[in-house]
Amino acid sequence: MIDFALIWAGLIAFAVLAYIILDGFDLGIGIMFPFIKSKEDKETAMNTIAPIWDGNETWLVLGGGGLYAVFPLAYSIILPALYMPIILMLLGLIFRGVAFEFHWRARKSQHLWDKGFAIGSLVAALCQGIALGALVQGITVEGRAYAGGWWDWLTPFSITTGVALVVGYVLLGSTWLNMKTTGHLQRLARNIAKVSGTATLGFIGLISLWMVFIEQQYLHRWFDAPNIYYLFVVPVLVLTVGISLFFALKRERDVSPFILSISLFLLSYIGLVISFFPNLVPPSVSVWEAAAPDNSLKFLLVGAAFLIPIILAYTTYAYWVFRGKVKEGEAYH
């Protein structure tokens, strides 16, 4: 028998991962913006993402809309628990988008829009990380409704995950610029990548250890036999990828640091999925409890089978068309 709830859980998980990676380096460039001093370097950095940044947010719409449609119970629990960080995240994304476009139009106030681009990116990234931390630490549920308080999302753990995601996005953004640019901007990006890479690995280790003290489910999932014998490969791979990243940066490679940065995010995401499963809303609401009726899942899957390949196709085509280095003075706008 086909498990439609599990198929949809995989599709939503894929959409969220695609958004984190693809919009992550966009946000990372925005967060880095105050450290890029010259106007020419700032415009080159923006031109590396100008053709693709708005399309990357398609995956956020797909993930959020998909959650509402196929896991309505999870949506009705998560949204009330995380209203504040989600609203602030959306405002940050809107402000970032407006600032991005006004950078090219409002020449007299360009420096203000550059600050807006940085602030919007920082707020969006920080709130995404805080929302993730609040989800990881667990949401209080009674019956089929959120039973926690307005400020339950704001804890030392969630703030730590917020800062960690900001640092991780800076790593993605800096390795993207290392891959896409040359000269002074590339050297700056490489130096930022070394610092943010070290910090990202530190945060991965800290949060991983912290999680096992937050919820017994995570402790048993990772350290009970026989799980520990085959799950230990995940932290070993994280350490291996981290070391490879620093060697690639030291050898001044262009492409491999970005691929290795994505690999760090992918491994961290796999670790979260391992910790959560089978729950969609930790610690008590499973994928199957949160799912819509099978008839609804089947009907929506037909649309997804048509839509998702199209999104993948035009995303891949956009990245292919705008591949290669972006030099100073070259502009998409």
Side-chain angles (χ1 to χ4, degrees), residues 37-53:
K37 300 303 181 183
S38 78
K39 177 183 175 181
E40 292 75 17
D41 283 348
K42 286 183 177 182
E43 297 200 340
T44 301
M46 295 184 87
N47 278 321
T48 66
I49 59 173
I52 54 175
W53 74 272

Side-chain angles (χ1 to χ4, degrees), residues 174-286:
S174 57
T175 52
W176 170 263
L177 288 181
N178 174 67
M179 180 176 70
K180 295 290 288 183
T181 63
T182 58
H184 175 266
L185 182 56
Q186 184 185 37
R187 291 191 295 273
L188 174 64
R190 194 178 295 131
N191 290 334
I192 292 175
K194 291 174 183 176
V195 176
S196 58
T198 303
T200 298
L201 284 172
F203 274 119
I204 290 172
L206 173 62
I207 291 169
S208 299
L209 290 173
W210 200 338
M211 280 179 62
V212 301
F213 294 102
I214 287 177
E215 176 59 50
Q216 287 292 310
Q217 172 189 323
Y218 305 146
L219 177 65
H220 294 309
R221 177 63 50 84
W222 286 93
F223 291 100
D224 282 1
N227 295 8
I228 192 172
Y229 302 130
Y230 55 85
L231 292 182
F232 83 96
V233 70
V234 177
V236 169
L237 284 173
V238 168
L239 185 60
T240 303
V241 169
I243 293 170
S244 301
L245 172 62
F246 289 111
F247 274 112
L249 289 169
K250 185 177 180 180
R251 293 171 182 170
E252 300 185 354
R253 299 288 191 259
D254 286 352
V255 178
S256 57
F258 183 62
I259 293 173
L260 291 166
S261 298
I262 290 175
S263 300
L264 277 181
F265 269 78
L266 176 60
L267 289 168
S268 300
Y269 195 76
I270 289 171
L272 282 175
V273 171
I274 291 170
S275 299
F276 279 21
F277 190 80
N279 291 326
L280 194 61
V281 183
S284 57
V285 181
S286 73

